[in-house]
Amino acid sequence: MIYKADNENFISHLEALREMLLRSISAIVILSPVGFYVAPKFLNFLIQNSLPESMTKLHYFSPMEVFIIQLKIGVLIAFVISFPYIVYEIKKFINPALYQNERRFLSGLILSSSFLFLLGGAFCIFFILPLIMNFSAEFATAELTPTLGLNNFVTLAGGLILAFGLMFQFPLATIFAVKLGLVEIETLKHIRPYIFVGILIISALLTPPDVISQLMLGVPTYILYEIGILIADRINKKG
């Protein structure tokens, strides 16, 4: 009987997970038309904001390339818009495993998570991406002229924006882990070197294979980790 009950609980958890994933994907699909409408304007803004004067134009090399890229950008925009709802769905999924005070704490994290995701994306668009493109332009000489493809640029920009948005969640993950008693503050302070190495490894996986991009993602993320420790420590002292 105990085995049967455990099996039924496991199946119910899988069903809840499936429904959560379906609702999250559905939100992205529903908002995709909005993303497709905004995509050309966002692409033009991204190009104008990121490219230095020596790289005035991008090139595409197949008839459908621009259309396909705009579709990809539209999906990314739809994901960004639906991110608060996706976080809310994740909260609903894990709520049954939490105590009442932990549920209230988690509710407060939803708004912070959405804000940090947008902050990370904006930080990448306005600072990191132009910095990388200007750094790349410095290699140009009379014999070497950069001819950038639209697909390469968008792939780089999209990957970096998504990576920064996700990695900016680090303080919340730290605070949440401490609040739930999964890890102690002193432990987080003690394992700083390992966390830094881990952040660099994750940054290497999320960014293009160059040291500059990895450091530009890794260093701010580690700073956010330290901020997360400070906030979690203050919450512990107050609570």
Side-chain angles (χ1 to χ4, degrees):
M1 293 294 294
I2 295 177
Y3 173 77
K4 184 178 179 180
D6 289 342
N7 190 44
E8 289 176 352
N9 285 335
F10 178 71
I11 293 174
S12 66
H13 289 323
L14 285 181
E15 181 66 21
L17 177 62
R18 184 183 73 86
E19 291 178 359
M20 183 268 289
L21 292 174
L22 285 176
R23 285 193 294 267
S24 299
I25 294 172
S26 297
I28 297 174
V29 172
I30 292 172
L31 290 170
S32 290
V34 178
F36 299 152
Y37 175 77
V38 177
K41 300 177 177 59
F42 178 74
L43 180 59
N44 290 336
F45 165 77
L46 203 60
I47 292 172
Q48 294 170 3
N49 181 71
S50 304
L51 294 184
E53 294 181 359
S54 57
M55 299 179 183
T56 55
K57 293 182 180 179
L58 295 177
H59 305 269
Y60 63 95
F61 303 100
S62 66
M64 297 298 292
E65 183 176 339
V66 178
F67 175 72
I68 293 173
I69 286 174
Q70 288 182 354
L71 286 180
K72 292 179 180 179
I73 293 175
V75 173
L76 179 61
I77 292 173
F79 172 76
V80 171
I81 297 174
S82 61
F83 185 77
Y85 176 77
I86 294 173
V87 174
Y88 171 74
E89 283 294 333
I90 295 173
K91 169 186 171 290
K92 280 176 57 180
F93 175 70
I94 64 177
N95 255 352
L98 303 177
Y99 293 108
Q100 186 63 35
N101 63 325
E102 293 170 342
R103 292 177 186 176
R104 289 195 298 267
F105 178 75
L106 181 60
S107 298
L109 291 183
I110 292 179
L111 183 60
S112 301
S113 176
S114 302
F115 171 74
L116 284 175
F117 186 88
L118 295 175
L119 181 64
F123 179 72
C124 177
I125 291 171
F126 290 102
F127 296 102
I128 302 301
L129 192 58
L131 195 61
I132 291 176
M133 299 309 298
N134 277 281
F135 177 76
S136 174
E138 292 179 359
F139 291 97
T141 64
E143 293 78 22
L144 294 173
T145 303
T147 302
L148 298 180
L150 177 62
N151 185 56
N152 299 111
F153 171 75
V154 171
T155 300
L156 172 68
L160 285 174
I161 292 170
L162 187 59
F164 272 85
L166 293 175
M167 293 294 276
F168 266 51
Q169 306 297 310
F170 222 97
L172 296 183
T174 304
I175 295 169
F176 192 62
V178 172
K179 184 69 176 177
L180 292 183
L182 300 177
V183 66
E184 299 292 334
I185 291 289
E186 292 305 319
T187 302
L188 291 175
K189 294 178 180 179
H190 180 70
I191 62 174
R192 277 186 175 113
Y194 307 103
I195 292 294
F196 184 69
V197 173
I199 288 173
L200 290 180
I201 293 173
I202 296 174
S203 299
L205 295 174
L206 293 177
T207 58
D210 63 89
V211 178
I212 301 300
S213 299
Q214 293 165 13
L215 289 177
M216 285 182 177
L217 178 57
V219 173
T221 301
Y222 181 75
I223 294 173
L224 290 171
Y225 171 74
E226 292 290 344
I227 293 174
I229 291 179
L230 289 174
I231 296 175
D233 197 17
R234 298 187 92 179
I235 291 175
N236 264 6
K237 290 176 179 178
K238 289 181 179 179

